[in-house]
Amino acid sequence: NPISSAVVIRIVSGFGPSAVAAAGVVGRIEMFAFMIPMTVGMSMVPFVAQNFGARRFDRIRTVRRGAMLFAVGVGGVIAAVLFFAARPLGGLFSSDPEVIDVLTRYLRITCLGYGLLEAHRYAGFCLTGIHRPLSSAVLNAIRVIVLLIPLVYLGAGWVGLSGIFWGRLVSDLVSGLVGIFWTGKVIGALSRRPAFS
């Protein structure tokens, strides 16, 4: 993740200091916006692990479904707030109209994927809890290496600065859907295995 962030910032820097400043501010806004969903998500690992040990796959399925719905729901609420508050928020961080404009575009595009981005994170927590840390790492690599970096690079080349934001949005949406599907398949397969296999 740090390497991908550095790559994305390097691509953004090609569009000038205002773009870099806006990206930095958006990163801080997102850290604050995701505090509650991240706290809920982190509690999934011990809960899922405990129930995995007890072979209570019914409870794992219940918490996974509830967590994914929570992620999409809270992500939608955060997206709605930030979509309409993007420009005023930009004004709190900068008086430069160009920075505010870039920040507004960045938030209004990428916030549309917040729900599925959080679902992707929850999928990683879930996979870790069922003793599949490598699968969790692969899921993260799919988002970062397979989707995010290429899409941001292509978006920048084809559309310009907004293409970077659209590339991020597409990577968040696709990786979230992959995470939801993957965890469902893995939990279903594990629940059908005999104990201690």
Side-chain angles (χ1 to χ4, degrees):
N1 280 327
I3 293 170
S4 71
S5 297
V7 171
V8 171
I9 290 294
R10 176 67 186 87
I11 296 169
V12 168
S13 69
F15 295 91
S18 296
V20 175
V25 172
V26 168
R28 285 161 178 77
I29 292 172
E30 288 180 341
M31 279 177 25
F32 178 77
F34 282 123
M35 278 197 304
I36 292 174
M38 280 295 290
T39 304
V40 172
M42 285 187 292
S43 67
M44 285 182 68
V45 177
F47 181 89
V48 170
Q50 181 183 26
N51 284 284
F52 178 69
R55 293 192 58 80
R56 289 295 307 271
F57 291 102
D58 56 322
R59 296 182 73 186
I60 295 173
R61 280 191 289 268
T62 298
V63 77
R64 173 191 162 273
R65 182 171 52 251
M68 296 305 180
L69 289 172
F70 177 79
V72 173
V74 171
V77 171
I78 294 170
V81 170
L82 291 181
F83 188 89
F84 293 106
R87 191 164 292 278
L89 274 174
L92 292 175
F93 288 95
S94 176
S95 58
D96 184 338
E98 191 176 351
V99 173
I100 295 171
D101 180 60
V102 174
L103 184 147
T104 301
R105 271 190 292 155
Y106 195 154
L107 276 179
R108 285 183 174 169
I109 293 170
T110 58
C111 75
L112 302 176
Y114 283 176
L116 283 173
L117 171 60
E118 204 55 41
H120 166 266
R121 289 186 180 131
Y122 286 5
F125 292 141
C126 192
L127 289 168
T128 301
I130 57 174
H131 300 183
R132 296 294 186 277
L134 183 58
S135 294
S136 178
V138 169
L139 181 63
N140 202 38
I142 289 171
R143 178 181 176 269
V144 172
I145 298 169
V146 177
L147 295 168
L148 182 63
I149 293 175
L151 289 175
V152 164
Y153 182 78
L154 291 172
W158 290 345
V159 185
L161 184 57
S162 292
I164 295 173
F165 311 148
W166 286 108
R168 153 85 189 271
L169 172 62
V170 172
S171 67
D172 291 347
L173 294 174
V174 173
S175 61
L177 292 172
V178 169
I180 291 170
F181 177 78
W182 192 348
T183 51
K185 295 293 283 184
V186 170
I187 292 167
L190 288 173
S191 66
R192 290 189 291 273
R193 284 187 185 177
F196 309 114
S197 66

PDB file of all heavy atoms in Angstrom, residues 47-68:
ATOM      1  N   PHE A  47     -13.205 -12.247  15.892  1.00  0.00           N
ATOM      2  CA  PHE A  47     -14.533 -12.869  15.896  1.00  0.00           C
ATOM      3  C   PHE A  47     -14.588 -14.037  14.901  1.00  0.00           C
ATOM      4  O   PHE A  47     -15.032 -15.136  15.230  1.00  0.00           O
ATOM      5  CB  PHE A  47     -15.611 -11.837  15.553  1.00  0.00           C
ATOM      6  CG  PHE A  47     -17.003 -12.400  15.559  1.00  0.00           C
ATOM      7  CD1 PHE A  47     -17.753 -12.418  16.724  1.00  0.00           C
ATOM      8  CD2 PHE A  47     -17.564 -12.929  14.400  1.00  0.00           C
ATOM      9  CE1 PHE A  47     -19.035 -12.954  16.738  1.00  0.00           C
ATOM     10  CE2 PHE A  47     -18.839 -13.469  14.404  1.00  0.00           C
ATOM     11  CZ  PHE A  47     -19.578 -13.485  15.573  1.00  0.00           C
ATOM     12  N   VAL A  48     -14.128 -13.782  13.672  1.00  0.00           N
ATOM     13  CA  VAL A  48     -14.146 -14.816  12.642  1.00  0.00           C
ATOM     14  C   VAL A  48     -13.201 -15.961  13.033  1.00  0.00           C
ATOM     15  O   VAL A  48     -13.547 -17.140  12.879  1.00  0.00           O
ATOM     16  CB  VAL A  48     -13.766 -14.226  11.268  1.00  0.00           C
ATOM     17  CG1 VAL A  48     -13.549 -15.333  10.233  1.00  0.00           C
ATOM     18  CG2 VAL A  48     -14.853 -13.265  10.782  1.00  0.00           C
ATOM     19  N   ALA A  49     -12.016 -15.628  13.560  1.00  0.00           N
ATOM     20  CA  ALA A  49     -11.043 -16.668  13.934  1.00  0.00           C
ATOM     21  C   ALA A  49     -11.602 -17.574  15.031  1.00  0.00           C
ATOM     22  O   ALA A  49     -11.446 -18.805  14.975  1.00  0.00           O
ATOM     23  CB  ALA A  49      -9.739 -16.019  14.382  1.00  0.00           C
ATOM     24  N   GLN A  50     -12.246 -16.983  16.030  1.00  0.00           N
ATOM     25  CA  GLN A  50     -12.806 -17.783  17.124  1.00  0.00           C
ATOM     26  C   GLN A  50     -13.870 -18.746  16.601  1.00  0.00           C
ATOM     27  O   GLN A  50     -13.898 -19.931  16.949  1.00  0.00           O
ATOM     28  CB  GLN A  50     -13.396 -16.866  18.194  1.00  0.00           C
ATOM     29  CG  GLN A  50     -13.981 -17.619  19.376  1.00  0.00           C
ATOM     30  CD  GLN A  50     -14.633 -16.698  20.385  1.00  0.00           C
ATOM     31  OE1 GLN A  50     -15.082 -15.611  20.040  1.00  0.00           O
ATOM     32  NE2 GLN A  50     -14.693 -17.129  21.631  1.00  0.00           N
ATOM     33  N   ASN A  51     -14.744 -18.229  15.740  1.00  0.00           N
ATOM     34  CA  ASN A  51     -15.809 -19.066  15.212  1.00  0.00           C
ATOM     35  C   ASN A  51     -15.307 -20.056  14.167  1.00  0.00           C
ATOM     36  O   ASN A  51     -15.898 -21.118  13.983  1.00  0.00           O
ATOM     37  CB  ASN A  51     -16.926 -18.186  14.641  1.00  0.00           C
ATOM     38  CG  ASN A  51     -17.761 -17.570  15.749  1.00  0.00           C
ATOM     39  OD1 ASN A  51     -18.583 -18.235  16.356  1.00  0.00           O
ATOM     40  ND2 ASN A  51     -17.505 -16.306  16.050  1.00  0.00           N
ATOM     41  N   PHE A  52     -14.207 -19.715  13.511  1.00  0.00           N
ATOM     42  CA  PHE A  52     -13.584 -20.672  12.600  1.00  0.00           C
ATOM     43  C   PHE A  52     -13.056 -21.865  13.391  1.00  0.00           C
ATOM     44  O   PHE A  52     -13.231 -23.027  12.999  1.00  0.00           O
ATOM     45  CB  PHE A  52     -12.457 -20.003  11.819  1.00  0.00           C
ATOM     46  CG  PHE A  52     -11.729 -20.917  10.886  1.00  0.00           C
ATOM     47  CD1 PHE A  52     -12.350 -21.423   9.755  1.00  0.00           C
ATOM     48  CD2 PHE A  52     -10.409 -21.272  11.137  1.00  0.00           C
ATOM     49  CE1 PHE A  52     -11.669 -22.280   8.883  1.00  0.00           C
ATOM     50  CE2 PHE A  52      -9.725 -22.121  10.272  1.00  0.00           C
ATOM     51  CZ  PHE A  52     -10.359 -22.626   9.153  1.00  0.00           C
ATOM     52  N   GLY A  53     -12.415 -21.581  14.528  1.00  0.00           N
ATOM     53  CA  GLY A  53     -11.923 -22.663  15.381  1.00  0.00           C
ATOM     54  C   GLY A  53     -13.052 -23.537  15.901  1.00  0.00           C
ATOM     55  O   GLY A  53     -12.887 -24.749  16.055  1.00  0.00           O
ATOM     56  N   ALA A  54     -14.193 -22.941  16.162  1.00  0.00           N
ATOM     57  CA  ALA A  54     -15.357 -23.687  16.660  1.00  0.00           C
ATOM     58  C   ALA A  54     -16.194 -24.277  15.527  1.00  0.00           C
ATOM     59  O   ALA A  54     -17.214 -24.919  15.795  1.00  0.00           O
ATOM     60  CB  ALA A  54     -16.227 -22.765  17.514  1.00  0.00           C
ATOM     61  N   ARG A  55     -15.781 -24.027  14.282  1.00  0.00           N
ATOM     62  CA  ARG A  55     -16.517 -24.474  13.083  1.00  0.00           C
ATOM     63  C   ARG A  55     -17.958 -23.943  13.079  1.00  0.00           C
ATOM     64  O   ARG A  55     -18.877 -24.618  12.629  1.00  0.00           O
ATOM     65  CB  ARG A  55     -16.484 -26.003  12.948  1.00  0.00           C
ATOM     66  CG  ARG A  55     -15.092 -26.538  12.661  1.00  0.00           C
ATOM     67  CD  ARG A  55     -15.106 -27.990  12.242  1.00  0.00           C
ATOM     68  NE  ARG A  55     -15.916 -28.274  11.069  1.00  0.00           N
ATOM     69  CZ  ARG A  55     -15.529 -28.063   9.813  1.00  0.00           C
ATOM     70  NH1 ARG A  55     -14.325 -27.536   9.565  1.00  0.00           N
ATOM     71  NH2 ARG A  55     -16.324 -28.360   8.810  1.00  0.00           N
ATOM     72  N   ARG A  56     -18.118 -22.724  13.547  1.00  0.00           N
ATOM     73  CA  ARG A  56     -19.441 -22.079  13.509  1.00  0.00           C
ATOM     74  C   ARG A  56     -19.515 -21.208  12.249  1.00  0.00           C
ATOM     75  O   ARG A  56     -19.478 -19.985  12.298  1.00  0.00           O
ATOM     76  CB  ARG A  56     -19.662 -21.243  14.768  1.00  0.00           C
ATOM     77  CG  ARG A  56     -19.871 -22.053  16.022  1.00  0.00           C
ATOM     78  CD  ARG A  56     -21.152 -22.893  15.979  1.00  0.00           C
ATOM     79  NE  ARG A  56     -22.334 -22.093  15.661  1.00  0.00           N
ATOM     80  CZ  ARG A  56     -23.091 -21.465  16.582  1.00  0.00           C
ATOM     81  NH1 ARG A  56     -22.793 -21.576  17.857  1.00  0.00           N
ATOM     82  NH2 ARG A  56     -24.136 -20.763  16.209  1.00  0.00           N
ATOM     83  N   PHE A  57     -19.596 -21.894  11.122  1.00  0.00           N
ATOM     84  CA  PHE A  57     -19.618 -21.173   9.852  1.00  0.00           C
ATOM     85  C   PHE A  57     -20.904 -20.379   9.665  1.00  0.00           C
ATOM     86  O   PHE A  57     -20.936 -19.408   8.911  1.00  0.00           O
ATOM     87  CB  PHE A  57     -19.401 -22.148   8.695  1.00  0.00           C
ATOM     88  CG  PHE A  57     -18.012 -22.711   8.650  1.00  0.00           C
ATOM     89  CD1 PHE A  57     -17.756 -23.993   9.116  1.00  0.00           C
ATOM     90  CD2 PHE A  57     -16.954 -21.954   8.178  1.00  0.00           C
ATOM     91  CE1 PHE A  57     -16.473 -24.511   9.098  1.00  0.00           C
ATOM     92  CE2 PHE A  57     -15.663 -22.463   8.157  1.00  0.00           C
ATOM     93  CZ  PHE A  57     -15.418 -23.744   8.620  1.00  0.00           C
ATOM     94  N   ASP A  58     -21.958 -20.785  10.370  1.00  0.00           N
ATOM     95  CA  ASP A  58     -23.196 -20.004  10.302  1.00  0.00           C
ATOM     96  C   ASP A  58     -22.966 -18.599  10.854  1.00  0.00           C
ATOM     97  O   ASP A  58     -23.432 -17.605  10.281  1.00  0.00           O
ATOM     98  CB  ASP A  58     -24.308 -20.711  11.073  1.00  0.00           C
ATOM     99  CG  ASP A  58     -23.929 -20.998  12.539  1.00  0.00           C
ATOM    100  OD1 ASP A  58     -22.749 -21.343  12.806  1.00  0.00           O
ATOM    101  OD2 ASP A  58     -24.802 -20.854  13.407  1.00  0.00           O
ATOM    102  N   ARG A  59     -22.215 -18.512  11.946  1.00  0.00           N
ATOM    103  CA  ARG A  59     -21.933 -17.204  12.541  1.00  0.00           C
ATOM    104  C   ARG A  59     -20.964 -16.400  11.668  1.00  0.00           C
ATOM    105  O   ARG A  59     -21.080 -15.181  11.570  1.00  0.00           O
ATOM    106  CB  ARG A  59     -21.364 -17.381  13.953  1.00  0.00           C
ATOM    107  CG  ARG A  59     -22.358 -18.028  14.913  1.00  0.00           C
ATOM    108  CD  ARG A  59     -21.790 -18.145  16.301  1.00  0.00           C
ATOM    109  NE  ARG A  59     -21.734 -16.842  16.946  1.00  0.00           N
ATOM    110  CZ  ARG A  59     -21.175 -16.623  18.128  1.00  0.00           C
ATOM    111  NH1 ARG A  59     -20.613 -17.617  18.792  1.00  0.00           N
ATOM    112  NH2 ARG A  59     -21.164 -15.414  18.644  1.00  0.00           N
ATOM    113  N   ILE A  60     -20.004 -17.091  11.048  1.00  0.00           N
ATOM    114  CA  ILE A  60     -19.071 -16.401  10.151  1.00  0.00           C
ATOM    115  C   ILE A  60     -19.825 -15.818   8.966  1.00  0.00           C
ATOM    116  O   ILE A  60     -19.599 -14.665   8.572  1.00  0.00           O
ATOM    117  CB  ILE A  60     -17.955 -17.350   9.678  1.00  0.00           C
ATOM    118  CG1 ILE A  60     -17.087 -17.784  10.870  1.00  0.00           C
ATOM    119  CG2 ILE A  60     -17.097 -16.682   8.606  1.00  0.00           C
ATOM    120  CD1 ILE A  60     -16.067 -18.857  10.529  1.00  0.00           C
ATOM    121  N   ARG A  61     -20.743 -16.607   8.396  1.00  0.00           N
ATOM    122  CA  ARG A  61     -21.538 -16.100   7.269  1.00  0.00           C
ATOM    123  C   ARG A  61     -22.398 -14.909   7.682  1.00  0.00           C
ATOM    124  O   ARG A  61     -22.539 -13.928   6.945  1.00  0.00           O
ATOM    125  CB  ARG A  61     -22.415 -17.217   6.695  1.00  0.00           C
ATOM    126  CG  ARG A  61     -21.667 -18.169   5.772  1.00  0.00           C
ATOM    127  CD  ARG A  61     -22.631 -19.078   5.040  1.00  0.00           C
ATOM    128  NE  ARG A  61     -23.225 -20.058   5.930  1.00  0.00           N
ATOM    129  CZ  ARG A  61     -22.734 -21.280   6.136  1.00  0.00           C
ATOM    130  NH1 ARG A  61     -21.636 -21.662   5.500  1.00  0.00           N
ATOM    131  NH2 ARG A  61     -23.329 -22.107   6.956  1.00  0.00           N
ATOM    132  N   THR A  62     -22.957 -14.987   8.889  1.00  0.00           N
ATOM    133  CA  THR A  62     -23.801 -13.891   9.381  1.00  0.00           C
ATOM    134  C   THR A  62     -23.000 -12.608   9.552  1.00  0.00           C
ATOM    135  O   THR A  62     -23.426 -11.530   9.124  1.00  0.00           O
ATOM    136  CB  THR A  62     -24.466 -14.275  10.721  1.00  0.00           C
ATOM    137  OG1 THR A  62     -25.307 -15.411  10.506  1.00  0.00           O
ATOM    138  CG2 THR A  62     -25.304 -13.125  11.262  1.00  0.00           C
ATOM    139  N   VAL A  63     -21.819 -12.715  10.179  1.00  0.00           N
ATOM    140  CA  VAL A  63     -21.015 -11.512  10.406  1.00  0.00           C
ATOM    141  C   VAL A  63     -20.454 -10.978   9.092  1.00  0.00           C
ATOM    142  O   VAL A  63     -20.358  -9.758   8.895  1.00  0.00           O
ATOM    143  CB  VAL A  63     -19.893 -11.752  11.441  1.00  0.00           C
ATOM    144  CG1 VAL A  63     -18.732 -12.521  10.850  1.00  0.00           C
ATOM    145  CG2 VAL A  63     -19.409 -10.419  12.002  1.00  0.00           C
ATOM    146  N   ARG A  64     -20.107 -11.867   8.172  1.00  0.00           N
ATOM    147  CA  ARG A  64     -19.618 -11.418   6.865  1.00  0.00           C
ATOM    148  C   ARG A  64     -20.699 -10.640   6.124  1.00  0.00           C
ATOM    149  O   ARG A  64     -20.458  -9.561   5.600  1.00  0.00           O
ATOM    150  CB  ARG A  64     -19.162 -12.624   6.027  1.00  0.00           C
ATOM    151  CG  ARG A  64     -18.799 -12.264   4.597  1.00  0.00           C
ATOM    152  CD  ARG A  64     -18.609 -13.516   3.743  1.00  0.00           C
ATOM    153  NE  ARG A  64     -18.672 -13.185   2.335  1.00  0.00           N
ATOM    154  CZ  ARG A  64     -19.789 -13.128   1.633  1.00  0.00           C
ATOM    155  NH1 ARG A  64     -20.952 -13.371   2.203  1.00  0.00           N
ATOM    156  NH2 ARG A  64     -19.746 -12.819   0.352  1.00  0.00           N
ATOM    157  N   ARG A  65     -21.905 -11.214   6.094  1.00  0.00           N
ATOM    158  CA  ARG A  65     -23.006 -10.537   5.400  1.00  0.00           C
ATOM    159  C   ARG A  65     -23.319  -9.184   6.058  1.00  0.00           C
ATOM    160  O   ARG A  65     -23.451  -8.165   5.380  1.00  0.00           O
ATOM    161  CB  ARG A  65     -24.247 -11.433   5.396  1.00  0.00           C
ATOM    162  CG  ARG A  65     -25.440 -10.845   4.649  1.00  0.00           C
ATOM    163  CD  ARG A  65     -26.561 -11.868   4.482  1.00  0.00           C
ATOM    164  NE  ARG A  65     -26.945 -12.503   5.740  1.00  0.00           N
ATOM    165  CZ  ARG A  65     -26.698 -13.766   6.064  1.00  0.00           C
ATOM    166  NH1 ARG A  65     -26.034 -14.546   5.230  1.00  0.00           N
ATOM    167  NH2 ARG A  65     -27.091 -14.251   7.219  1.00  0.00           N
ATOM    168  N   GLY A  66     -23.391  -9.180   7.390  1.00  0.00           N
ATOM    169  CA  GLY A  66     -23.666  -7.932   8.098  1.00  0.00           C
ATOM    170  C   GLY A  66     -22.574  -6.895   7.892  1.00  0.00           C
ATOM    171  O   GLY A  66     -22.855  -5.708   7.705  1.00  0.00           O
ATOM    172  N   ALA A  67     -21.315  -7.359   7.909  1.00  0.00           N
ATOM    173  CA  ALA A  67     -20.193  -6.436   7.724  1.00  0.00           C
ATOM    174  C   ALA A  67     -20.193  -5.839   6.324  1.00  0.00           C
ATOM    175  O   ALA A  67     -19.944  -4.636   6.150  1.00  0.00           O
ATOM    176  CB  ALA A  67     -18.873  -7.163   7.986  1.00  0.00           C
ATOM    177  N   MET A  68     -20.469  -6.652   5.322  1.00  0.00           N
ATOM    178  CA  MET A  68     -20.493  -6.141   3.949  1.00  0.00           C
ATOM    179  C   MET A  68     -21.622  -5.139   3.758  1.00  0.00           C
ATOM    180  O   MET A  68     -21.447  -4.095   3.115  1.00  0.00           O
ATOM    181  CB  MET A  68     -20.626  -7.293   2.951  1.00  0.00           C
ATOM    182  CG  MET A  68     -19.465  -8.261   2.947  1.00  0.00           C
ATOM    183  SD  MET A  68     -17.863  -7.464   2.675  1.00  0.00           S
ATOM    184  CE  MET A  68     -16.759  -8.873   2.745  1.00  0.00           C
TER     185      MET A  68
END
